């Protein structure tokens, strides 16, 4: 009975360690699940010529699309700044201009990454992680052909940014 009484009196105490143990156990699990793509990287150490051509074509298509988007957004930004109206119109125009500027910045960043990837194709270093020198893996490159890092190295960078990036 003492054990039961102790358990009922301290019912909250044992629950807390179990909860924190459960939380601690849950923390390592996501990296284990994410480790599966790492094996995909090592499964395809070298891209086949067909895969390389496919990725190059995807990069060139995305580049053309981005150049067109950048041009459209620049024209839209100029058109918005020419309109004159009351304070609400000006506030709306300012918000639209801000959004357009952010989208332009993003597109220019991605365009630079695509240009970098295309240059790496020309020099023969495309598909290699810039952090580890290991192959990035076709699946990752298929999703993001301008990727510079393997999944594992990108996760490491993001982890370091979360924990020590504020310093």
């Amino acid at each position: 009975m003492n054990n039961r009484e102790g358990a009922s009196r301290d019912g909250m105490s044992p629950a807390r360690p179990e909860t924190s143990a459960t939380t601690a156990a849950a923390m390592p699990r996501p990296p284990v699940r994410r480790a599966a793509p790492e094996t995909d990287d090592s499964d395809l150490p070298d891209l086949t010529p067909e895969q390389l051509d496919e990725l190059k074509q995807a990069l060139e298509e995305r580049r053309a699309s981005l150049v067109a988007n950048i041009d459209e957004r620049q024209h839209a930004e100029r058109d918005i700044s020419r309109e004159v109206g009351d304070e609400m119109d000006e506030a709306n125009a300012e918000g639209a201009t801000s959004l357009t500027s952010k989208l332009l910045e993003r597109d220019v960043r991605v365009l630079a990454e695509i240009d970098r990837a295309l240059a790496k194709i020309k020099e023969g270093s495309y598909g290699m992680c810039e952090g580890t020198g290991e192959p990035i893996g076709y699946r990752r490159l298929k999703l993001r052909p301008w990727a510079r890092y393997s999944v594992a190295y990108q996760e490491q960078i993001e982890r370091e940014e979360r924990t020590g990036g504020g310093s």
Side-chain angles (χ1 to χ4, degrees):
M1 273 202 205
N2 285 343
N3 288 344
R4 287 184 186 169
E5 289 172 6
S8 63
R9 274 190 232 146
D10 297 333
M12 296 302 283
S13 298
R16 286 184 187 150
E18 288 175 21
T19 303
S20 49
T22 305
T23 305
M27 297 303 277
R29 286 186 185 167
V32 171
R33 283 187 220 137
R34 291 182 187 159
E38 279 183 59
T39 58
D40 292 339
D41 289 351
S42 62
D43 288 345
L44 295 172
D46 295 319
L47 295 171
T48 66
E50 294 81 16
Q51 290 171 331
L52 191 60
D53 286 343
E54 178 186 346
L55 294 169
K56 182 179 179 183
Q57 183 178 354
L59 284 164
E60 289 170 344
E61 288 173 3
R62 178 62 188 225
R63 186 183 192 290
S65 173
L66 282 171
V67 168
N69 285 344
I70 289 169
D71 191 44
E72 284 178 32
R73 287 195 176 110
Q74 285 175 334
H75 288 301
E77 192 171 326
R78 285 186 214 124
D79 292 342
I80 290 172
S81 63
R82 290 183 188 160
E83 296 175 8
V84 178
D86 64 9
E87 289 178 23
M88 283 299 283
D89 290 339
E90 288 179 29
N92 285 336
E94 193 172 318
T97 301
S98 175
L99 177 62
T100 300
S101 293
K102 288 179 183 176
L103 293 172
L104 268 170
E105 288 173 17
R106 183 205 62 197
D107 287 350
V108 168
R109 263 193 319 272
V110 173
L111 183 61
E113 292 295 321
I114 288 172
D115 286 342
R116 181 184 187 113
L118 289 169
K120 288 175 72 172
I121 288 174
K122 286 181 184 174
E123 29 176 85
S125 62
Y126 179 75
M128 302 304 285
C129 177
E130 292 180 15
T132 63
E134 296 176 2
I136 292 177
Y138 179 68
R139 283 187 184 178
R140 176 160 171 78
L141 291 171
K142 182 98 168 128
L143 293 173
R144 182 174 226 152
W146 57 88
R148 295 169 60 184
Y149 307 113
S150 66
V151 172
Y153 192 76
Q154 183 68 44
E155 287 177 348
Q156 179 183 341
I157 291 170
E158 291 171 3
R159 229 180 348 267
E160 288 171 3
E161 286 175 355
R162 282 192 305 265
T163 58
S167 301

